[in-house]
Amino acid sequence: MKQTYRDINSEINLLSEEGKLQLHRDHDAARAFFLEHVNPNTVFFHNLKEKTDYLVENDLWKRETVETYSFDQFKALFKQAYAYKFRFQSFMGAYKFYNQYALKTEDGTRYYERYEDRVVMCAIDLSGGDYDLARDLVDAIIGGYFQPATPTFLNAGRAQGGERVSCFLLRVEDNMESIGRAINSSLQLSKRGGGVGINLSNLRETSAPIKNIPNTSSGVVPVMKILEDSFSYANQLGQRQGAGAVYLNAHHPDIMRALDTKRENADEKVRIKTLSLGVIIPDVTFELAKKNADMYLFSPYDVERVEGKTFADLSVTEHYHQWVEDDRITKTKINARQFFQTLSELQFESGYPYCLFEDTANSDHTMGHAGRVQMSNLCSEILQLQTPSEYHPDGSYKTLGSDISCNLGSLNVKRMLDLDNEAFGDVVDTAVRALDNVARTTEIDSVPSVKAGNDRSKAIGLGQMNLHGALAHHGIEYGSEEALALWDRYMAKVTFHAMLTSTDIARQHGEHEYFDGSEYATGAWFERKIKPWFEEDKELAFGIGELHAPTLEDWHHLQLEVYKHGMANAYLQAIPPTGSISYINHSTASIHPVVAPIEIRKEGRTGRVYYPAPHMTEDNVHLYKDAYQLGYEKLIDTYAVSTYWVDQGSSCTLFFPDTATTRDVDRARIYAWRKGIKTIYYVRIKQKALEGTGVETAADYCEACQL
C-alpha cells in the first residue's frame, strides 16, 4: 500500500534501523502533501490576469490592493516571489498555511492562493503605496527574515477579511455606560478577529454601595461572565474564535473571587472556562509577602472618591500605607503569602493567571509622562499607556480617552544572523515601515477609544522568534553566557535600527502625539540604557559572521536624529508568543526553548502531526534540551536580556517538570520579578508523554492571535 503524507510524517517519530532520527522524512511528507493534496485541489487559472480578475470580481481580493500599482508592477511582484521557488521546510508549515491562511473556495475544499500569492498580497497591502517597500517586503517575507503576525498575514488584501491588527486593550470605568461600551467593543473587535484584554480594576467590589445604597454592587465576576459569552459569540465568520483576557489588580477586594472562577471545581454559575485571567501585582505585594504580613484590599469606589483618580491610574505601592491609614477608604485584608500560594495553585492547575508586575512595567515605561501602564493583553506582551473616557447618559462620549491596538510581526533570529550589517539594518527598516503602515491605515471606527489611541501613538510591536533554533544552529547552548551575550548584542542592534527608522518616518509624517516629554525627547532613555550599557565595557562583535552591535558614536548620532525629527511611533517592540507563524516560517516559537525536540500536535482531522525542531540535526540534537529540562532560570535570564531593550513586554511562559511543586512556581515568579521581567504568560507543567512515545506535546498558545 502506498504511503500517504500522514504515514511519512509519522516516521519522524521512529528511529531508523541504524538508530538515527529520520528527520528527512519531514521534507518527504511536505512534498507528498503537495502531490497528494495541494496540487490536485488548487483552482487552475491560465494566467495571473485571469486569476486576479476572478478573485476581484468575486469579492475575494480587494480591488484597491490589486490596483495599488500598475498591472505590470503587480505582475512583477508575483514574478519576484515565484522566482524564489519557495518550498516549505516542514510538513507542519505547509499544513498550517493551507489549513489556516490560504484563500479557499466557499466550501473550503479547494485553494485559490499559494504561499507566494499570500506573500505578495500582504507585501502590497503593507507597502503603503511605496513600490520599493513592496519589493523589499516580498524578499523579507518569502526569504524568511520577517513574518507579519497572523491577523496581518491572513487578512491583508482580502475583501472579506478581518482587521490586520493583532491585539486590543480596553479599560473600563466604574459606571454602566463604560461597562456596556466595553461589552459592545469586545463584540466588535472579536468580530474583526482581534484578541482583547480588558482591565476591570476600576469596578467597585461586591457589596459596594450604588447611589449610597449599601450592599448593592455585584462586583466583577458577573461582568467577566458576560464578557466570556460575548467572546464566544463573535468568531469572525467561523474562521477564528473570539478570545479575551480580563485583568484585575491584586489589591482589588474581588481578587480572590475572580481567581476562584478558574478552579476546576468552581460552581458552574461562576466558573470561567474560556476567558483568560490576568493579575496586576505591585511591588508592595511582594514586600508584604516577604514579611509574611497581611495585604489590604482597597475599594476602588472609595479610592476614586478620595483621590479624584481611578484606582488603575494610581500606583498601589506609592499609596499603600496612606490608604491603609485613611478611614474614608473601605478595606479588607488577606495574607500576602496565602495570596501567592493561591496564584501558584491555580497556575499549577490551569496555567492561569497571567501576571503583570505593575511597578516593573512602569519603571521602564518611556511614555510615563503621558500615562501609566495599567494592564496587558491576551498574550501579555503589550504594555502601553491608556487614558480614561467619559460618557454621557446615552453612552456617547463626553471625553474620548485612549485605548490600545498593536500591530505585530516578528523577525527570524536565525535568518537575521545570516546577514551582514547593512542587510540586517535594511530588514529591520523594512519591518518597521510595514508595521507603521498598518498603524496608519487601520481605522477601528467601531471602537472610537481604540482608534483614538492608535491615532495618537502609532504603536507597533516588532517581535522575535527562532532564538533557540538560531543558537543550536551555531552550536550555542540556550541560556549559556555565550548565548546571553549574543542575544544582548542582537537586541541592541534591532533596537537601534528600529528607532532610527521611526525617526526617519517622523521626517515625513511627523512625531507621534506623546513624543514631547517622553524619555526619548528628554534624553532620559539614552542616559538610562545606553550609558550604563557601555560602562560595562561591552564587546560589540556578535562572534558570528561580521555582525556587530552599534557603537557609542552610532547611539550619539541616533540621539541627535531623535532630537531633530522626533519619532513616529510611541512603542516599537514587543515579543509575542508566536505559534502558527513560527511553523510556516520554519522557526522555533518566540524566544523560549522548544517544548520538545520532536513536537506532537493534534491538528484537526489530520490527527497527530510530528514536527521536528527547526535546524535540528544528528550533530546538534543535544542542544535542543526542552524548556522543561532547561529550568526556569535560563529561560528567565534570556527574557531579562531582551526586556532591557524592548519598550513593551514579552510573552514569557514558564515551564516546569512533572516533579515540580507550587513552591517551585513561587520561586520562579520571585526570580522573574527580581530579574526585571514585566509579565508572566502561561505556566506549563509537563504532562506524561503520549502513550509511551517519549515525545512531549506542545503548549497551547493563544489561539485567538495565532501569532
Side-chain angles (χ1 to χ4, degrees), residues 167-173 178 182 185 189 196-202 245 247 280 309-314 356 358 362 365 367-377 382-389 391 399-406 447 449-454 456-457 459 514 570-571 648:
C167 298
F168 303 97
L169 290 81
L170 306 171
R171 58 177 285 161
V172 182
E173 312 309 325
S178 183
S185 297
L189 296 171
V196 187
I198 303 167
N199 190 2
L200 301 183
S201 297
N202 288 333
Y247 281 80
I280 303 157
K309 288 185 177 181
T310 66
F311 190 62
D313 286 309
L314 297 163
L356 164 61
E358 178 184 43
N362 279 287
H365 184 213
M367 302 294 144
H369 70 293
R372 285 177 56 78
V373 173
Q374 302 172 4
M375 59 175 294
S376 191
N377 64 316
I382 304 304
L383 301 171
Q384 300 178 21
L385 70 90
Q386 289 169 283
T387 59
S389 296
Y391 303 91
T399 303
L400 185 58
S402 294
D403 280 318
I404 298 169
S405 65
C406 201
V447 187
S449 60
V450 168
K451 182 180 186 301
N454 177 65
R456 293 163 184 167
S457 73
Y514 304 129
Y571 303 91
Q648 295 188 70

Side-chain angles (χ1 to χ4, degrees), residues 171-299:
R171 58 177 285 161
V172 182
E173 312 309 325
D174 189 31
N175 57 72
M176 199 62 75
E177 292 78 16
S178 183
I179 294 170
R181 176 70 70 169
I183 293 166
N184 178 66
S185 297
S186 297
L187 284 166
Q188 294 293 338
L189 296 171
S190 293
K191 171 178 133 180
R192 290 160 173 79
V196 187
I198 303 167
N199 190 2
L200 301 183
S201 297
N202 288 333
L203 299 189
R204 68 191 71 188
E205 71 277 13
T206 303
S207 299
I210 298 177
K211 293 186 176 180
N212 296 319
I213 301 174
N215 301 315
T216 308
S217 171
S218 299
V220 302
V221 172
V223 178
M224 292 168 64
K225 293 290 287 185
I226 296 170
L227 288 168
E228 181 172 53
D229 291 340
S230 300
F231 287 118
S232 298
Y233 183 72
N235 64 4
Q236 197 185 341
L237 302 177
Q239 285 184 296
R240 299 162 68 223
Q241 286 297 315
V246 295
Y247 281 80
L248 194 66
N249 196 287
H251 291 263
H252 190 287
D254 279 353
I255 185 62
M256 300 308 285
R257 288 185 177 90
L259 292 174
D260 283 344
T261 65
K262 277 297 180 183
R263 293 191 183 277
E264 290 184 358
N265 61 354
D267 189 300
E268 286 299 315
K269 292 179 182 178
V270 298
R271 188 181 176 197
I272 299 295
K273 298 177 182 177
T274 58
L275 187 69
S276 299
L277 177 62
V279 176
I280 303 157
I281 307 176
D283 284 355
V284 69
T285 320
F286 285 98
E287 293 163 6
L288 294 167
K290 184 178 180 180
K291 298 174 184 176
N292 197 21
D294 289 331
M295 57 183 276
Y296 281 89
L297 315 178
F298 305 102
S299 167

